[in-house]
């Protein structure tokens, strides 16, 4: 099938498959999207299709107002959340949503994940925020769109940046992660799950475990992301 | 081997193998059955046969009064529970029983699994019930048949529907799950194990974690199962 | 290599490999032996040989007084424990020792594993005993031989039968399991690890979880092992 | 590519790959080095290169003052810690650093891992030390070099030997392990992770679990490492 969006579909397809390979999803419990800023559209997994059966041509293309541009399948039920985030955060290139076990456990516990160590600080300097469940009126309304608002409100209220903190827990639901590409969003989902696992164990071993001190947070974040970063090639 | 039940045996065989592939059983710790309503019979795994050695032709065919219709092997020791459920719940097409780790842990703890999040609410709106252990006289009697009664009584006492809640924990024993087909019963067994794992972790992170609020339960259940469902294809 | 013990070596080899395949050991953290009652000898894994490099001809043959009958390699450092058990328990055909994670955790916690459910009762009717660490004088003496005495004393003091209870935890050390064959000893090691995992989770979910009641213990054990057993083929 | 260091690079490469195969790292969360004492240099993983893409020729060669001797890629960001340890501990041949889950959990909890059992005592006779986080002035300074000092100070203050205790936790960060070769350093990383997992579970099952008594520590350590050791071939 020839389509101007084939490359984007392929990128989106591969990121979805990777989500499955990393053990972050079972059945259809997740979705990844990838954006094309030039054309103002994004590609997303179709709803309820198992990863083993997913094909690149099944990927659905939509604009940021949720109009289907290309594709015969119904897009992910979480599509409106993706569209809202793309519309409001022009710097992101991909979004991933999962029901990964440890991430969901913290979301269900309605607790932020404290920054306990350098694994966390290698990626972000703040606790991983858990957005509180939204008001009933918003749930009964345009729910998935409102989930986008819930995420934005959470970041605004706390004064944290979505460029630095590329992940969030939706209280009682599960994680969303994003990044410069769909692959990076999947990477961040895996980092979040790993950090969630470590933080859980840390509290079991020492319920009074202290947060990582500021000097170490700064050191580890900046050696990877600062202007004098010396990590990587 | 030609048999009018070959297709049913194959369906039952594949569902049993899937139970093993999903990591829900070791050795012979589980069994799946599939029903043929038209002929009033069901197919079930033979007792004590390891999954690696199981063949489609080993599957045993019985009627709802536990008479063997076809097959040379002894059927699963839990057969009478399956027969009882098929006889009483005409809407179900398959049943799965496992000793999956987290499901068993909740059963042994004799606790219902609270509905803590949307992963749970995507599948059912109630806590997953843990049926209390039966009376000694029933254990010493027709035990597996009485396990079926125990399940029905549990649902009746609590006023929950077996069409909506397709899973139960037998106190001190383990889970049973069912659905429109044997494959769906296996799917529900995996969902139950996953939700059991998440709920366990949730309580470890926050012993006072609240149940999911009603508006979110309703929203998530109905977007998948309500009359205006918009999940899936 | 022609040897009258080739078949026994092969059986011992395969049981050791299975221990590894089941995820019960890493590196050289375990050993399995198989007995030949007719000839009064047993076959055991050589000491410190990684499972990936183990060959059937590496297996060492000894009599019950720890004399090497055949083999060029040094036998497992735990050999004397095996020999002692074979000498004293004429009904057993194989022994397995591991450092499997959950079994070791209970051993290190110095607690018996309570019988919480039917997964346990399908295999034995007692709590899984944790033998208390031996006296210093015995540790400094013929340690591995004395580990055998420690196991026998534990069973004698508690009045439990090694024919029915085919597993034990050595306090602060780890599990030993046995059975009619080396394969059965490995099976029992896997069952022990699974039951240890379930019991751990049960106590986390409900610290006051009750033991399984006697009627259910009896029912489940006897439907598999009683004179009117109806489990299996 | 011909180089006098090809064999060392290959050894270093294989040890890094093994770290990944053992499940001790995800993405680029770890690094292994191997030393060549005769030439006063060591080989280390390049920074930020995923294990799936790593090739033997990517390995970087440095001297103990962190001068690159051979290689076009930037070495691991933790290189200075490795160099410092090689310079000060002339007996070690390889070093491994990971962010393995259970090891990190204890490091984040800022607790030594108590010696609870023989799995631990088979490898070392002391609790696994957790070095307290360093002073802010050192963090802001030559951080990775100072991490080496932090490790040495920890061993000196506690009077433990780096020949016997081949592993350490850096508080809030993660584990370092070493040994006679890079392969042995990786082995010790896996042992540490396993012991960390067991000790965590032990405390969950029995918060008052006692340390292993001295006689058993001595017995198990010496049967493997003492002058009359009888473990292995």
């Amino acid at each position: 099938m020839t389509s101007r969006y084939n490359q984007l579909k392929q990128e989106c397809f591969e990121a979805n498959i990777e989500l499955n390979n990393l053990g972050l999803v079972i059945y259809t419990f997740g979705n990844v999207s990838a954006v094309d800023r030039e054309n103002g559209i994004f590609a997303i997994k179709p709803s309820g299709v198992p990863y083993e059966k997913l094909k690149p041509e099944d990927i659905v293309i939509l604009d940021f107002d949720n109009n289907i541009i290309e594709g015969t399948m119904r897009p992910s039920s979480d599509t409106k959340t993706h569209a809202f985030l793309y519309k409001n955060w022009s710097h992101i290139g991909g979004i991933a949503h999962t029901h990964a076990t440890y991430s969901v456990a913290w979301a269900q516990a309605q607790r932020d994940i404290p920054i306990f160590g350098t694994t966390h600080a290698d990626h972000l300097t703040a606790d991983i925020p858990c957005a509180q469940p939204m008001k009933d009126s918003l749930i009964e309304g345009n729910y998935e769109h409102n989930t986008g608002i819930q995420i934005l409100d959470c970041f605004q209220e706390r004064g944290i940046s979505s460029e630095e903190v590329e992940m969030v827990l939706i209280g009682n639901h599960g994680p969303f992660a994003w990044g410069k590409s769909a692959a990076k969003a999947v990477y961040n989902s895996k980092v979040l799950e790993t950090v969630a696992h470590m933080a859980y164990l840390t509290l079991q071993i020492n319920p009074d475990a202290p947060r990582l001190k500021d000097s170490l947070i700064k050191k580890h974040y900046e050696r990877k992301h600062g202007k004098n970063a010396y990590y990587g090639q």
Side-chain angles (χ1 to χ4, degrees), chain A:
Chain A
M1 199 175 73
T2 61
S3 155
R4 58 193 294 202
Y5 303 125
N6 274 356
Q7 198 183 331
L8 189 70
K9 287 182 187 176
Q10 183 67 28
E11 182 195 338
C12 176
F13 166 76
E14 286 176 10
N16 273 285
I17 295 298
E18 178 72 357
L19 209 63
N20 195 33
N21 290 344
L22 290 168
L24 296 172
V25 288
I26 57 165
Y27 297 120
T28 62
F29 294 17
N31 44 73
V32 189
S33 65
V35 84
D36 172 346
R37 289 283 170 196
E38 209 170 309
N39 291 297
I41 55 93
F42 67 101
I44 195 163
K45 184 180 172 296
S47 181
V49 177
Y51 290 97
E52 310 83 67
K53 296 190 177 173
L54 189 66
K55 295 188 296 288
E57 55 264 34
D58 297 338
I59 302 296
V60 187
I61 304 290
L62 302 103
D63 67 20
F64 301 160
D65 294 317
N66 296 296
N67 301 302
I68 295 184
I69 304 299
E70 196 174 288
T72 55
M73 303 189 91
R74 188 189 283 178
S76 163
S77 57
D78 295 309
T79 294
K80 286 181 183 171
T81 310
H82 292 244
F84 185 85
L85 294 179
Y86 283 129
K87 200 166 184 171
N88 284 275
W89 289 343
S90 60
H91 60 89
I92 65 176
I95 300 170
H97 169 53
T98 78
H99 286 238
T101 307
Y102 290 93
S103 305
V104 165
W106 283 91
Q108 292 189 157
Q110 297 191 0
R111 288 187 61 178
D112 298 347
I113 303 179
I115 181 164
F116 280 135
T118 61
T119 318
H120 189 136
D122 281 339
H123 297 91
L124 68 164
T125 64
D127 294 352
I128 298 168
C130 180
Q132 291 311 300
M134 62 178 90
K135 285 183 193 157
D136 286 0
S137 58
L138 297 176
I139 292 168
E140 286 149 19
N142 198 349
Y143 175 63
E144 290 81 7
H145 177 83
N146 293 340
T147 300
I149 296 178
Q150 183 188 14
I151 295 173
L152 249 76
D153 284 354
C154 170
F155 274 61
Q156 210 152 18
E157 279 163 25
R158 294 166 181 241
I160 51 181
S161 151
S162 61
E163 294 195 57
E164 196 223 295
V165 178
E166 297 184 320
M167 53 191 73
V168 71
L169 301 172
I170 307 292
N172 288 121
H173 186 160
F176 277 84
W178 50 87
K180 289 210 175 304
S181 65
K184 187 68 194 305
V186 170
Y187 171 91
N188 283 329
S189 300
K190 180 68 177 180
V191 168
L192 169 49
E193 180 68 0
T194 303
V195 167
H197 191 176
M198 289 171 171
Y200 156 71
L201 292 169
T202 300
L203 284 181
Q204 299 290 310
I205 296 172
N206 181 1
D208 301 317
R211 282 178 92 250
L212 187 62
K213 59 182 183 171
D214 288 344
S215 53
L216 268 171
I217 293 175
K218 194 179 166 206
K219 180 67 194 178
H220 269 263
Y221 188 73
E222 300 213 332
R223 78 176 191 165
K224 258 189 129 165
H225 307 278
K227 65 179 179 214
N228 297 315
Y230 50 93
Y231 183 93
Q233 301 299 323

